[in-house]
Amino acid sequence: MPLVRIDLASTTPPVHVQGVGRAVHEALVATFNAPEADRFQVIGRHAPDELVCSPEFLGVAHSGPVVFVQITCAPGRSTEMKKALYQHIAHAVSAQGYFAAADVIINLVESARENWSFGNGLAPFAQA
Amino acid sequence: MPLVRIDLASTTPPVHVQGVGRAVHEALVATFNAPEADRFQVIGRHAPDELVCSPEFLGVAHSGPVVFVQITCAPGRSTEMKKALYQHIAHAVSAQGYFAAADVIINLVESARENWSFGNGLAPFAQA
Amino acid sequence: MPLVRIDLASTTPPVHVQGVGRAVHEALVATFNAPEADRFQVIGRHAPDELVCSPEFLGVAHSGPVVFVQITCAPGRSTEMKKALYQHIAHAVSAQGYFAAADVIINLVESARENWSFGNGLAPFAQA
């Protein structure tokens, strides 16, 4: 059910573009109990002037390439689960050696379970 | 009031890119009572590795080109209206012969009526 | 905390692309009390057939280049603050002489304070 938007620079090596996608999905499976088969991602590559990131915010400095991860998902995960998700994404992305953990920006948007259709016009999570 | 984001492959023939946009709007008019003139859409074309879709989820197989339709709209539509919207979109898109109904992925994000401005800095749906 | 998506035509002169980004951030600082350092923006450039804007809606005519501004932000701003934001954005963008105030389309999506991580996997606004 998550729909993940990943935005990064067009200069990102393709192996790392794909690596971010895998890392985010792995984190959703591990911490949000997303099914392995529940993977839907839209990646956007951008010119240098299209990604604007504060050089420093709340004590975290941003100096390298940045990646934005915006996840629309079902509501109801606990704060602890959300914290675990952020930590897992930042660790799994940075472990690949291209983006620093400091430069992984994450935002969740929660949308009701009836607000999703995964093909054929069905609404598999809508209550009868 | 809907703001529609449509993401699809850059190899999609332009006539079908435009056809998806028309089909989604037609569905919003028919099932969500959106005014005909209330059409605001942002389409993104993507390289092959930028659209990630599970090969199968909840019994629906995804094998052809995929199109993601994310619709931010006002809250308050009934579950029945949402189901009708999904069915209308999947049918109207697939009827054009390029995308299969199985490969039309839809997500709604509901946002309050005061959260919209359609030009001139006005907030036409905000309560006084 | 706002994550701002700005979508406009690829023919927009770069100085005006950057100008819209600055104008939107200036408006968030002035009307939403966003910290100056809280700037995170994703800009998308689009082909002519990728931005669909009604020629007229609610009495506002759209004839020039259009810019879509979708802002995901924390919830809780008053309606008055939101109206001030729209007015500030429309004025600051149009004052740069490229986009008309009528052609600045704005949508807010509110997302809980625990739904944000600005690097290092931290959740600075989550309650303990």
Side-chain angles (χ1 to χ4, degrees):
Chain A
M1 192 133 54
L3 174 59
V4 176
R5 290 190 183 274
I6 295 169
D7 291 277
L8 37 68
S10 55
T11 51
T12 311
V15 65
H16 290 297
V17 173
Q18 294 152 23
V20 170
R22 279 200 310 275
V24 171
H25 188 60
E26 167 196 311
L28 285 163
V29 172
T31 66
F32 265 34
N33 300 320
E36 183 63 41
D38 185 2
R39 183 171 174 189
F40 300 93
Q41 303 179 326
V42 177
I43 298 172
R45 286 175 163 94
H46 293 271
D49 68 348
E50 293 178 359
L51 298 176
V52 182
C53 180
S54 182
E56 185 275 337
F57 182 52
L58 300 176
V60 180
H62 305 288
S63 55
V66 65
V67 56
F68 292 93
V69 181
Q70 189 169 39
I71 302 171
T72 307
C73 60
R77 268 78 176 210
S78 68
T79 300
E80 288 314 306
M81 291 172 79
K82 293 175 181 177
K83 288 182 174 179
L85 176 74
Y86 306 150
Q87 290 169 12
H88 197 123
I89 291 176
H91 181 269
V93 169
S94 63
Q96 298 177 26
Y98 186 80
F99 294 102
D103 297 322
V104 182
I105 311 299
I106 308 166
N107 166 237
L108 306 182
V109 172
E110 298 177 271
S111 181
R113 297 176 72 82
E114 70 192 33
N115 285 351
W116 300 81
S117 177
F118 302 96
N120 287 335
L122 302 172
F125 296 108
Q127 297 297 320
Chain B
M1 193 134 52
L3 174 58
V4 177
R5 290 189 183 275
I6 295 169
D7 291 275
L8 37 67
S10 54
T11 50
T12 311
V15 65
H16 291 297
V17 173
Q18 294 151 23
V20 171
R22 279 199 309 274
V24 172
H25 188 59
E26 166 196 311
L28 285 164
V29 171
T31 66
F32 265 34
N33 301 320
E36 184 63 42
D38 185 4
R39 184 172 174 189
F40 300 93
Q41 302 179 327
V42 177
I43 298 171
R45 285 174 164 95
H46 293 271
D49 69 348
E50 294 178 356
L51 297 175
V52 182
C53 180
S54 183
E56 185 275 337
F57 183 52
L58 301 176
V60 179
H62 305 288
S63 55
V66 65
V67 56
F68 293 92
V69 180
Q70 189 169 39
I71 302 171
T72 307
C73 60
R77 266 80 176 209
S78 69
T79 299
E80 287 315 305
M81 291 171 78
K82 293 175 181 177
K83 288 182 174 179
L85 176 72
Y86 306 150
Q87 291 169 11
H88 198 123
I89 291 175
H91 181 269
V93 169
S94 63
Q96 298 177 25
Y98 186 80
F99 295 101
D103 298 321
V104 182
I105 311 299
I106 309 166
N107 165 237
L108 306 183
V109 172
E110 298 177 271
S111 181
R113 299 175 72 81
E114 70 192 33
N115 286 351
W116 301 81
S117 178
F118 303 96
N120 288 335
L122 301 171
F125 296 107
Q127 297 298 320
Chain C
M1 194 133 52
L3 175 58
V4 176
R5 290 189 184 274
I6 295 168
D7 291 277
L8 37 67
S10 56
T11 50
T12 311
V15 65
H16 290 297
V17 174
Q18 295 152 23
V20 171
R22 278 199 309 276
V24 172
H25 188 59
E26 167 195 311
L28 285 164
V29 171
T31 65
F32 265 35
N33 301 320
E36 183 65 41
D38 186 2
R39 183 170 174 190
F40 300 93
Q41 302 179 328
V42 176
I43 297 171
R45 285 176 164 94
H46 294 270
D49 69 347
E50 293 178 357
L51 298 175
V52 182
C53 181
S54 182
E56 186 274 336
F57 184 51
L58 301 175
V60 180
H62 305 288
S63 55
V66 64
V67 55
F68 292 93
V69 180
Q70 191 170 36
I71 301 171
T72 307
C73 59
R77 266 79 176 209
S78 68
T79 299
E80 286 315 305
M81 291 172 78
K82 294 174 181 177
K83 287 182 176 180
L85 176 73
Y86 306 150
Q87 290 169 11
H88 198 124
I89 291 176
H91 181 269
V93 169
S94 63
Q96 298 178 25
Y98 187 79
F99 294 102
D103 297 322
V104 182
I105 311 299
I106 308 166
N107 166 237
L108 305 183
V109 173
E110 298 177 272
S111 181
R113 297 176 73 80
E114 70 193 33
N115 286 351
W116 301 81
S117 178
F118 302 96
N120 288 334
L122 302 171
F125 296 109
Q127 297 298 320

